[in-house]
Amino acid sequence: MTELRLRPARTSDVPAIKELVAPLARAGVLINKDTVAYYEGIQEFLVAEDAETPGRLVGCGALHVMWEDLGEVRTLATSDAWRGRGVGRALLAGLIERARAVGVSRVFCLTFEVDFFRRYGFEVMPNQQQLDPDVFAELMRSHDEGVAEYLDLARVKPNTLGNTRMILELSPEG
């Protein structure tokens, strides 16, 4: 694997994150977000830097906590030039580590890259897992599109057509 450095994102990384996401958003693989959304969620992001060129971002990904035991991996992106060099794997491992650190026991993703996530233990969700009715009611109050995607609400169908909902149950021992 090429030498990478993972670190928490900083506000100064937002333009580079947008640049990483842009081609994937144009291709319909990721949802395009307004710049303000990246700044609002910057603390959720990890970035991968080329260790030989500090400051040059080659990948990014975020962990969004949805509930006490549930988080979502989102905005996982790698530059075209760095695909196949372990960037996505390193970012996903870092995001799963973050999930464990904050107490999340299940990690959800909505993806076209089923085989990639399957290699790391994610399973296709056969149907919406039953949620406690009180938790469901609380999640329904969220304005976050990722929460709506997890709940499989009709209003997000145009954004998620063709995506596969996957989940990873984290083992307590890590």
Side-chain angles (χ1 to χ4, degrees), residues 66-67 130-142 151:
M66 298 167 80
W67 198 251
Q130 291 296 319
L131 290 173
D132 176 277
D134 293 335
V135 172
F136 184 85
E138 287 292 328
L139 288 175
M140 285 293 292
R141 293 183 178 125
S142 175
L151 295 176

Side-chain angles (χ1 to χ4, degrees), residues 32 62 79-80 91 94-95 147 156:
N32 196 26
S79 74
D80 281 339
L91 284 164
L95 295 170
V147 173
V156 296

Side-chain angles (χ1 to χ4, degrees), residues 55-66:
R56 178 179 171 214
L57 298 192
V58 297
C60 64
L63 175 72
H64 179 76
V65 175
M66 298 167 80

Side-chain angles (χ1 to χ4, degrees), residues 62-74 92 95-110 117 120-123 125-136 139 147 150-151 165-172:
L63 175 72
H64 179 76
V65 175
M66 298 167 80
W67 198 251
E68 176 183 9
D69 64 340
L70 182 66
E72 179 189 9
V73 169
R74 49 170 69 167
L92 183 59
L95 295 170
I96 290 170
E97 184 179 311
R98 275 187 167 188
R100 282 191 175 99
V102 298
V104 168
S105 61
R106 296 180 299 152
V107 180
F108 161 76
C109 71
L110 187 67
F117 282 96
Y120 301 102
F122 283 76
E123 297 177 357
M125 294 173 67
N127 56 24
Q128 179 61 55
Q129 295 179 345
Q130 291 296 319
L131 290 173
D132 176 277
D134 293 335
V135 172
F136 184 85
L139 288 175
V147 173
Y150 177 76
L151 295 176
R165 299 164 75 233
M166 300 183 79
I167 197 147
L168 172 68
E169 301 281 341
L170 300 180
S171 59

